[in-house]
Amino acid sequence: DFHINFELFKKSKSTKLYVYDLTGKQLECYSSNKQGVSSVTIKGGRFFAGSYLYTLIVDGELVDTKTMILTD
């Protein structure tokens, strides 16, 4: 399993975490409005082994995009 941790500050209202393949196709969207530290767990069998991008959006603003590599 792959765990992604993030923090939603008191001033923020919503967080969305998008997962994309390397062609840019959106595969998943996880939402949270819980303030403080949160995490998303991506189950190992959910995606094939390979590289993916995940993007954190807070209140409609792009915060960061990172790469994750899933192995068998």
Side-chain angles (χ1 to χ4, degrees):
D1 293 351
F2 191 80
H3 304 278
I4 302 169
N5 298 314
F6 54 90
E7 185 171 357
L8 183 60
F9 298 103
K10 291 181 181 179
K11 296 178 190 176
S12 303
K13 294 185 171 104
S14 69
T15 300
K16 291 189 185 275
L17 186 107
Y18 295 95
V19 178
Y20 300 93
D21 66 14
L22 294 181
T23 68
K25 179 181 175 186
Q26 181 184 321
L27 303 174
E28 291 288 333
C29 177
Y30 303 92
S31 298
S32 176
N33 59 2
K34 177 184 165 196
Q35 293 182 341
V37 177
S38 294
S39 68
V40 168
T41 301
I42 298 174
K43 299 291 183 187
R46 182 76 181 113
F47 299 108
F48 294 111
S51 297
Y52 298 88
L53 301 172
Y54 61 96
T55 299
L56 181 66
I57 306 287
V58 177
D59 293 340
E61 299 281 328
L62 180 120
V63 174
D64 202 1
T65 298
K66 294 191 177 189
T67 303
M68 70 175 165
I69 299 171
L70 300 177
T71 59
D72 288 333

